[in-house]
Amino acid sequence: MNKTIAQKQFYLNVHFFENEKRESNAQFKSVSGLTVHIDVENLVKNPEKEFKHFFPSRTRFPNLILKGVLLKDLKVIEWCKKAIDQYQFSPTDLKVKLVNGKKESVLAWNIIRAYPVKWTVKKQIEKENSLAIDTMELAYNYFKLV
């Protein structure tokens, strides 16, 4: 019975630096911000008749919010520190995967040109040279569902 329950559980893997030779990954408790908004512009054809035409204009993507992880990869930690502490941004591609209990990818999103804009660190674990991250917020250009 426990095996059946374990197979139904899902988790989120985030693969950092997808466009580089050495990628890093981390398992987060939650991911939000995988949303697209299409702005609409209106054109008033004849102001006296109050008739408007609505047209789609541009797409907007809110920040990606990653919550709950123990980051052990120094490359990801340094990437965040450079952006937040030194204002040095290195946009990179990410892949967010929803994985089932059988370790099969159910859904995946390619996040294009992401960079950190905010993070909340719970604590640093000296022995493991890692950080417990409560929240990591990333701005990005757009995403594609894979």
Side-chain angles (χ1 to χ4, degrees), residues 33-136:
L34 292 169
T35 305
V36 60
H37 301 276
I38 299 175
D39 290 337
V40 178
E41 290 185 24
N42 61 36
L43 174 69
V44 178
K45 186 94 169 171
N46 187 347
E48 290 103 34
K49 294 188 179 181
E50 297 180 10
F51 185 75
K52 297 177 185 177
H53 294 279
F54 294 96
F55 298 98
S57 65
R58 68 179 185 107
T59 55
R60 289 182 294 125
F61 297 85
N63 287 349
L64 187 67
I65 299 171
L66 310 170
K67 290 189 176 187
V69 69
L70 183 63
L71 270 183
K72 295 181 180 183
D73 192 321
L74 289 178
K75 188 174 180 181
V76 176
I77 294 169
E78 288 302 315
W79 178 66
C80 288
K81 279 183 168 181
K82 280 184 180 179
I84 306 281
D85 296 342
Q86 301 168 16
Y87 211 70
Q88 294 178 6
F89 299 95
S90 302
T92 188
D93 295 346
L94 312 174
K95 184 174 277 184
V96 176
K97 291 182 180 180
L98 178 64
V99 180
N100 65 16
K102 296 178 183 177
K103 299 188 180 187
E104 301 166 332
S105 180
V106 178
L107 279 173
W109 297 263
N110 284 336
I111 311 299
I112 309 303
R113 298 194 48 81
Y115 56 91
V117 294
K118 180 180 177 181
W119 70 341
T120 306
V121 178
K122 279 187 180 179
K123 62 183 173 180
Q124 184 170 359
I125 301 167
E126 296 288 333
K127 294 176 190 174
E128 298 178 22
N129 203 14
S130 59
L131 287 176
I133 303 291
D134 184 41
T135 304
M136 180 188 297

